[in-house]
Amino acid sequence: MAAAEKALWFIESHYSEELSLGRIAEVAGVSPFHLARLFQTMTGCSVVRYLRGRRLTEAARRLADGAPDILEVALTSGYGSHEAFTRAFGEQFGLSPAGVRERGSVDGLALVEPWRSAGGAVVALDEPRLEHDDTRFIAGLGCRYTPDTTQGIPAQWQRLFLHHAAALPKRRTAFGVFCNSDDEGNFEYLAGVDVPGFGGLDPALGTLRLAAREYVVATHHGHVSAIRGTWQAFVGDWLPRSGLQVADAPEFEKYSADFDDASGIGDVEIWLPLKA
């Protein structure tokens, strides 16, 4: 099911762009016909219907939060006109975009949430390494997730770079930070970049200071949609045998300079904080 998982990732990361079954299939590395069969088997719906539902769901959330310009929401949701967007929105939810904005809530709407795959097999892991990292300042967009909603993370990255790129440094390293977890497995995720400091930032951005400390680091190779397998190998297999103890502190994924956010291919490092 690797091709279908790549397609899911690409949709979540690029749903605001002009997408076709052919383009999604090209990224997934299979023919459009093959992808259509795989996707339907895996999710229970067609690629096009899933893409439409995800676009409209994210648009509904923005409108419920008070987005002032419906045309701008339409355009960043992949629709070329106010009319086309309003028609599709009404077919999906039975309400107009203006109606959802007025009610200020998505409760009761037929939302299409990110589909969560069952996960793949544990991967072969490169030997992790120990690293010291100095204090870092991370700025970006934060969101809280449950264990069943983490497939929404790629869309969070898309929102960051679609709506806040101008407020971020031009030279930057991307970090996905996991923090403030609870006993139910829920956590906060900050999709952001390292910044020199927090002064003068867009107030819409969330911020997090990572204290200087020791880490153990593993590297994920290949497509980012398969990173769960690397996490499983690192945390579920290697770490218990290492004798190391992880601290109750933020952990993060650090995206390499060669990571391509258009294809989802490139190294991603997983940094786990260690007890002193």
Side-chain angles (χ1 to χ4, degrees):
M1 290 297 184
E5 290 177 346
K6 287 181 180 179
L8 283 164
W9 173 85
F10 190 69
I11 290 170
E12 286 301 306
S13 301
H14 300 270
Y15 64 78
S16 66
E17 302 172 12
E18 184 176 344
L19 297 183
S20 65
L21 177 60
R23 185 182 175 200
I24 297 169
E26 183 180 1
V27 170
V30 295
S31 70
F33 175 74
H34 189 193
L35 177 62
R37 289 174 60 84
L38 282 175
F39 200 93
Q40 183 74 37
T41 300
M42 186 173 181
T43 69
C45 72
S46 70
V47 175
V48 173
R49 192 176 76 175
Y50 178 83
L51 172 60
R52 181 174 61 244
R54 288 295 299 127
R55 283 172 165 170
L56 293 170
T57 292
E58 294 299 322
R61 287 199 168 102
R62 289 187 63 199
L63 290 164
D65 287 341
D69 188 342
I70 292 177
L71 179 58
E72 189 272 336
V73 174
L75 295 175
T76 57
S77 300
Y79 289 87
S81 69
H82 189 295
E83 292 75 17
F85 175 66
T86 299
R87 182 170 57 254
F89 196 94
E91 291 172 354
Q92 180 74 24
F93 301 122
L95 291 171
S96 68
V100 170
R101 183 175 61 186
E102 183 176 351
R103 76 201 290 253
S105 170
V106 295
D107 291 348
L109 299 185
L111 302 178
V112 176
E113 301 293 0
W115 197 90
R116 182 182 176 87
S117 70
V122 174
V123 302
L125 189 70
D126 292 349
E127 184 64 22
R129 68 185 191 275
L130 299 179
E131 289 276 357
H132 173 82
D133 203 41
D134 292 331
T135 300
R136 289 187 182 274
F137 300 92
I138 308 296
L141 292 182
C143 187
R144 191 155 187 86
Y145 291 95
T146 72
D148 295 324
T149 60
T150 56
Q151 288 299 100
I153 288 176
Q156 185 180 344
W157 281 103
Q158 185 175 192
R159 290 194 297 271
L160 173 66
F161 292 122
L162 186 63
H163 302 295
H164 301 280
L168 300 173
K170 294 190 181 303
R171 291 189 176 183
R172 61 206 181 206
T173 301
F175 289 80
V177 186
F178 303 81
C179 57
N180 298 327
S181 60
D182 61 25
D183 292 342
E184 300 299 322
N186 307 316
F187 61 90
E188 291 182 18
Y189 181 83
L190 180 67
V193 303
D194 56 339
V195 295
F198 296 146
L201 287 176
D202 182 343
L205 294 174
T207 58
L208 182 66
R209 178 183 179 274
L210 298 176
R213 65 181 316 124
E214 305 300 317
Y215 291 86
V216 60
V217 183
T219 302
H220 170 75
H221 304 291
H223 198 276
V224 71
S225 66
I227 198 170
R228 287 183 65 205
T230 302
W231 272 97
Q232 290 167 358
F234 185 25
V235 178
D237 182 36
W238 184 89
L239 188 63
R241 296 186 287 104
S242 70
L244 299 173
Q245 291 186 304
V246 176
D248 183 13
E251 55 196 40
F252 57 84
E253 295 170 346
K254 180 181 178 182
Y255 291 79
S256 65
D258 67 353
F259 182 81
D260 182 358
D261 60 4
S263 68
I265 295 175
D267 288 353
V268 181
E269 294 179 342
I270 301 171
W271 290 59
L272 300 181
L274 297 176
K275 288 185 177 180

